[in-house]
């Protein structure tokens, strides 16, 4: 398989608090990789390094390296804005723009210079279909996105991310506040999307990680405890701490 994202002894500290401790991991292209572990284990910090959102934090010290396609993304020669166009992010709480459903999708492409309305409608339809939302909204694209349900808003945010044509999609607890039906639709969408994108899913729901991830990484107190195929991690974990976490003995 081909490595898309890699870290080498990545260390991240906020003042005196070290939140990632020499993490080395290879994320394979066109797969879903699940990051799991209790709160404070460093999962969200790791994806904030990958999308360079960590740039907005204060008093941060970073050591080691992180690469995409073999090229370091931590050096001054990397444009963070361009990087974030390659790395789309969906957060735990959906934040649709206070505009129509269509305008939420068209906003990003317009910023990239796409002005033809026919092209924008094609992009909107394609991305909404990929997010498993098209059939529910195709007859009300001019309706405010704020009128959608929470699960629909989250899928809209996924579609909005796809409209920017990223190579990587990072999802930080995207289903944490959603009902089982909405969660299933997002999982179905991600399973379809992995053929064209490299996906990292951060989730405290171990069952979700087991259902849809190809690879699983277990983090604890800033350390990468175990990383392997999802089948191996969940059936024959090599670390007792991983097994205890999966079995719900702590979390």
């Amino acid at each position: 398989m081909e490595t898309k994202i890699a870290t080498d002894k990545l260390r991240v500290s906020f003042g005196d608090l070290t939140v990632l401790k020499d993490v080395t991991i290879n994320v394979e292209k066109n797969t879903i990789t699940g990051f799991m572990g209790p709160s404070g284990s460093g999962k969200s910090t790791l994806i904030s390094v990958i999308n360079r959102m960590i740039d907005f934090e204060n008093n941060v010290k970073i050591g080691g390296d992180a690469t995409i396609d073999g090229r370091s993304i931590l050096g001054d020669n990397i444009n963070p804005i361009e990087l974030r166009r390659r790395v789309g992010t969906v957060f735990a709480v959906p934040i649709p723009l206070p505009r129509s459903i269509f305008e939420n999708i068209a906003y990003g492409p317009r910023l990239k210079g796409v002005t033809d309305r026919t092209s924008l409608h094609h992009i909107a339809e394609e991305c909404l279909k990929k997010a498993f939302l098209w059939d529910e909204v195709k007859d009300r694209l001019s309706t405010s996105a704020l009128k959608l349900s929470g699960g629909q808003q989250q899928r809209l945010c996924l579609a909005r991310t796809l409209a920017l044509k990223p190579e990587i999609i990072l999802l930080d607890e995207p289903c944490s506040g959603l009902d089982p039906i909405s969660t299933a639709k997002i999982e179905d969408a991600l399973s379809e999307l992995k053929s064209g994108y490299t996906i990292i899913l951060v989730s405290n729901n171990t069952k979700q990680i087991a259902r849809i991830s190809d690879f699983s990484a277990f983090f604890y107190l800033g350390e990468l405890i175990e990383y392997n195929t999802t089948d191996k991690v969940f059936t024959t974990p090599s670390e007792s701490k991983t097994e205890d976490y999966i079995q719900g003995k702590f979390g």
Side-chain angles (χ1 to χ4, degrees), residues 104-115 120 123-124 160 163-164:
N104 265 264
I105 307 298
Y107 183 79
R110 277 202 177 104
L111 290 179
K112 295 176 70 175
V114 180
T115 57
L120 290 171
I123 292 170
R160 189 176 67 196
L164 292 172

Side-chain angles (χ1 to χ4, degrees), residues 26-236:
N26 292 335
V27 175
E28 306 303 330
K29 185 177 181 180
N30 299 133
T31 61
I32 299 176
T33 298
F35 287 1
M36 60 181 178
S39 297
S41 59
K43 309 181 300 293
S44 295
T45 298
L46 180 51
I47 68 170
S48 74
V49 172
I50 296 170
N51 62 17
R52 286 287 296 267
M53 295 297 286
I54 201 162
D55 294 4
F56 300 105
E57 300 287 349
N58 295 319
N59 201 22
V60 179
K61 183 182 293 184
I62 301 176
D65 199 11
T67 62
I68 294 177
D69 293 331
R71 183 184 179 191
S72 177
I73 60 171
L74 299 181
D76 294 335
N77 59 331
I78 290 292
N79 183 331
I81 296 174
E82 290 298 326
L83 173 69
R84 292 183 200 113
R85 288 176 180 163
R86 299 175 61 196
V87 183
T89 307
V90 177
F91 298 99
V93 178
I95 310 176
L97 301 173
R99 303 183 181 191
S100 70
I101 295 168
F102 171 77
E103 289 298 334
N104 265 264
I105 307 298
Y107 183 79
R110 277 202 177 104
L111 290 179
K112 295 176 70 175
V114 180
T115 57
D116 177 68
R117 196 161 182 86
T118 300
S119 297
L120 290 171
H121 270 283
H122 177 73
I123 292 170
E125 180 177 349
E126 179 185 28
C127 294
L128 288 167
K129 284 181 176 178
K130 286 182 176 180
F132 281 41
L133 186 58
W134 173 251
D135 288 341
E136 298 170 40
V137 302
K138 61 184 178 182
D139 297 324
R140 50 182 176 133
L141 295 179
S142 60
T143 302
S144 171
L146 300 179
K147 293 184 178 181
L148 296 174
S149 70
Q152 290 173 326
Q153 288 185 5
Q154 191 64 295
R155 280 178 282 149
L156 178 64
C157 290
L158 175 59
R160 189 176 67 196
T161 297
L162 295 174
L164 292 172
K165 297 184 178 179
E167 302 166 22
I168 296 164
I169 304 173
L170 309 177
L171 303 106
D172 194 356
E173 293 284 353
C175 303
S176 59
L178 303 185
D179 61 88
I181 293 175
S182 296
T183 296
K185 288 182 177 180
I186 288 178
E187 291 179 1
D188 288 343
L190 296 180
S191 295
E192 293 286 333
L193 287 169
K194 73 177 182 180
S195 62
Y197 304 85
T198 301
I199 299 171
I200 293 178
L201 171 66
V202 173
S203 179
N204 286 326
N205 185 337
T206 55
K207 292 181 180 179
Q208 181 177 61
I209 296 289
R211 280 194 301 268
I212 67 169
S213 295
D214 302 294
F215 294 86
S216 295
F218 172 57
F219 295 85
Y220 184 68
L221 297 179
E223 296 183 4
L224 176 59
I225 303 299
E226 186 159 354
Y227 178 54
N228 213 316
T229 62
T230 295
D231 181 65
K232 175 71 168 59
V233 170
F234 278 84
T235 58
T236 54

